[in-house]
């Protein structure tokens, strides 16, 4: 780059955005990269405190911050993401659809260990809406050695999945089995069903006709089989998830031949959560907290399954870091620490 006086800059081409700051009024680019300086721009630049500007001397091997940021963004971008136009050397990455963010934490770390490379993101597995800001990329200097960007692109290619992607939630047919003698015999009104149907429909899936079972292993298993006959692609079994002798839901699920992933999760509320698979059909045993707490382990696990992911016990165990809901008077999930 060559430094020249603003008064001598007429005809010169800007190689970076020139930001104008008027407190309480505006902060943004007054002149964009590529702008050809005109005579009438001189007093404006001087009023912005610019005595000099830089023009690019086209040194081989150096690339501009805007190009570097765009190449970084392209290297980490997977399905479900859009890129904004470069602005002041930064590229914003936004959601192209509603869904769940999948971010490679190892990939983000690997790129940020490169000198002068910046990749900042929101938290992994966070629900997002179309247009939400997901990440931003930039480099620190105005001009950077292209070798750094080439290395970043190489690193991004070493990971089996994109470093960032938004996976839309699929529409599942979801069966609901509510257990408990008190509900089955009509002694108390079922409150699980409306809550679960509301969440299922909010996620874009379809709730099948709810079935009920007493605290009896064979009856619970028959109710689950009934949901399978209805075409259930996911089954939610509510009630009977504690360690009381009458709570036999976990036993009923295990004795059907289901692959038990976990009975118990390091999440509060939701410690007595169960996840199993009967073939390809996920079965979730939901503790009572799902009925009365706005956000629980169910909200962390179900959306991931609805993207088509098959979860492991390790996936559930990892929820412990960030798995404590603070039960705020006004719930702001997912814009809080829960699940992060």
């Amino acid at each position: 780059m060559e430094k020249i006086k603003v008064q001598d800059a007429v005809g010169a081409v800007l190689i970076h955005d020139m930001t104008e700051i008027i407190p309480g009024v505006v902060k943004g680019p007054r002149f964009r990269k590529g702008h050809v300086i005109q005579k009438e721009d001189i007093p404006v630049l001087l009023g912005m405190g610019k005595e000099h500007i830089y023009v690019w001397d086209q040194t081989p091997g150096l690339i501009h911050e805007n190009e570097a940021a765009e190449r970084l963004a392209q290297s980490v971008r997977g399905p479900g993401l859009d890129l904004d136009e470069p602005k002041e050397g930064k590229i914003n990455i936004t959601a192209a659809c509603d869904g769940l963010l999948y971010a490679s934490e190892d990939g983000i770390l690997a790129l940020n260990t490169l000198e002068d490379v910046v990749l900042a993101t929101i938290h992994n597995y966070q629900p997002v809406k179309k247009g939400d800001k997901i990440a931003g990329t930039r480099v620190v200097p105005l001009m950077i050695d292209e070798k750094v960007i080439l290395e970043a692109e190489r690193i991004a290619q070493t990971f089996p999945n994109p470093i960032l992607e938004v996976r839309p939630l699929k529409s599942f047919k979801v069966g609901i089995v509510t257990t408990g003698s008190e509900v089955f015999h009509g002694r108390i009104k079922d409150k699980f069903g409306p809550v679960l149907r509301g969440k299922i429909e909010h996620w874009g899936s379809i709730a099948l006709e709810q079935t009920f079972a007493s605290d009896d292993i064979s009856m619970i298993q028959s109710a689950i089989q009934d949901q399978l006959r209805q075409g259930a692609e996911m089954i939610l079994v509510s009630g009977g998830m504690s360690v009381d002798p009458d709570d036999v839901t976990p036993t009923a699920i295990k004795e059907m031949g289901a692959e038990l992933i976990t009975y118990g999760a390091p999440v509060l509320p939701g410690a007595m959560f169960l996840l199993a698979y009967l073939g390809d059909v996920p079965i979730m045993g939901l503790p009572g907290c799902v009925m009365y707490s706005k956000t629980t382990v169910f909200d962390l696990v179900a959306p991931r399954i609805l993207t088509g992911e098959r979860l492991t016990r390790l996936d559930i165990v990892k929820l412990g870091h960030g798995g404590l809901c603070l039960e705020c008077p006004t719930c702001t999930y997912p814009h809080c620490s829960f699940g992060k």
Side-chain angles (χ1 to χ4, degrees):
M1 294 178 291
E2 180 185 357
K3 181 179 178 182
I4 61 174
K5 290 183 177 181
V6 166
Q7 292 87 342
D8 300 329
V10 174
V13 180
L14 286 178
I15 63 169
H16 62 96
D17 295 346
M18 304 290 285
T19 300
E20 181 178 32
I21 301 176
I22 302 176
V25 179
V26 66
K27 179 185 183 297
R30 180 63 176 81
F31 299 105
R32 291 283 191 180
K33 172 194 172 185
H35 176 73
V36 179
I37 302 296
Q38 307 296 315
K39 184 177 180 180
E40 58 267 27
D41 297 333
I42 303 304
V44 178
L45 288 165
L46 291 171
M48 292 167 57
K50 304 297 182 183
E51 296 285 344
H52 299 83
I53 65 168
Y54 289 93
V55 291
W56 194 5
D57 64 4
Q58 300 290 331
T59 301
L62 294 182
I63 59 175
H64 187 268
E65 60 176 354
N66 281 356
E67 179 185 346
E70 189 167 10
R71 286 173 60 175
L72 284 173
Q74 290 286 6
S75 72
V76 302
R77 176 193 184 187
L81 295 173
D82 287 330
L83 304 184
D84 288 352
E85 292 294 320
K87 183 178 180 181
E88 298 179 297
K90 182 178 73 173
I91 298 281
N92 284 330
I93 303 175
T94 59
C97 61
D98 295 357
L100 206 65
L101 174 66
Y102 278 73
S104 168
E105 296 173 29
D106 289 340
I108 295 166
L109 176 61
L111 288 181
N112 281 318
T113 55
L114 294 175
E115 190 75 24
D116 293 330
V117 166
V118 174
L119 171 60
T121 79
I122 64 172
H123 284 286
N124 202 3
Y125 306 122
Q126 185 161 324
V128 296
K129 295 291 186 181
K130 181 178 179 180
D132 284 354
K133 189 186 296 185
I134 300 301
T137 63
R138 70 168 304 150
V139 294
V140 175
L142 181 62
M143 310 295 297
I144 190 169
D145 191 329
E146 188 179 18
K147 292 178 182 178
V148 177
I149 304 305
L150 288 169
E151 177 63 10
E153 292 169 332
R154 186 197 67 78
I155 289 173
Q157 290 295 318
T158 64
F159 291 87
N161 297 313
I163 289 178
L164 297 174
E165 64 177 304
V166 170
R167 299 183 189 176
L169 273 59
K170 301 177 181 179
S171 180
F172 278 38
K173 295 177 182 178
V174 182
I176 302 173
V177 175
T178 297
T179 72
S181 299
E182 68 281 13
V183 176
F184 181 75
H185 292 294
R187 299 187 188 106
I188 66 170
K189 184 178 179 181
D190 167 53
K191 295 183 180 179
F192 254 117
V195 172
L196 297 180
R197 280 193 295 272
K199 288 181 182 287
I200 290 165
E201 291 168 3
H202 173 73
W203 290 325
S205 286
I206 300 167
L208 300 175
E209 184 177 352
Q210 184 179 4
T211 54
F212 297 86
S214 183
D215 292 311
D216 176 82
I217 290 176
S218 61
M219 189 178 290
I220 294 171
Q221 291 174 338
S222 294
I224 292 173
Q225 291 290 353
D226 177 61
Q227 292 296 334
L228 292 171
R229 283 191 291 272
Q230 292 186 57
E233 299 164 293
M234 174 193 291
I235 297 176
L236 310 177
V237 186
S238 60
M241 291 303 301
S242 78
V243 294
D244 292 344
D246 290 337
D247 289 340
V248 295
T249 298
T251 301
I253 294 171
K254 286 186 286 186
E255 290 187 356
M256 290 185 72
E259 177 193 357
L260 180 66
I261 303 301
T262 186
Y263 175 33
V267 178
L268 297 172
M272 304 307 293
F273 171 79
L274 179 146
L275 175 63
Y277 285 91
L278 194 59
D280 292 328
V281 177
I283 300 177
M284 281 181 267
L286 304 179
C289 62
V290 175
M291 178 172 51
Y292 56 80
S293 293
K294 184 171 177 61
T295 310
T296 69
V297 64
F298 181 49
D299 300 274
L300 304 183
V301 174
R304 292 178 63 176
I305 292 176
L306 290 172
T307 67
E309 184 181 5
R310 188 178 179 111
L311 297 179
T312 67
R313 185 174 185 277
L314 181 59
D315 292 321
I316 303 301
V317 168
K318 285 182 176 180
L319 295 176
H321 185 200
L324 177 65
C325 176
L326 298 180
E327 301 178 279
C328 303
T330 300
C331 180
T332 60
Y333 180 81
H335 305 292
C336 66
S337 63
F338 187 57
K340 311 302 189 299

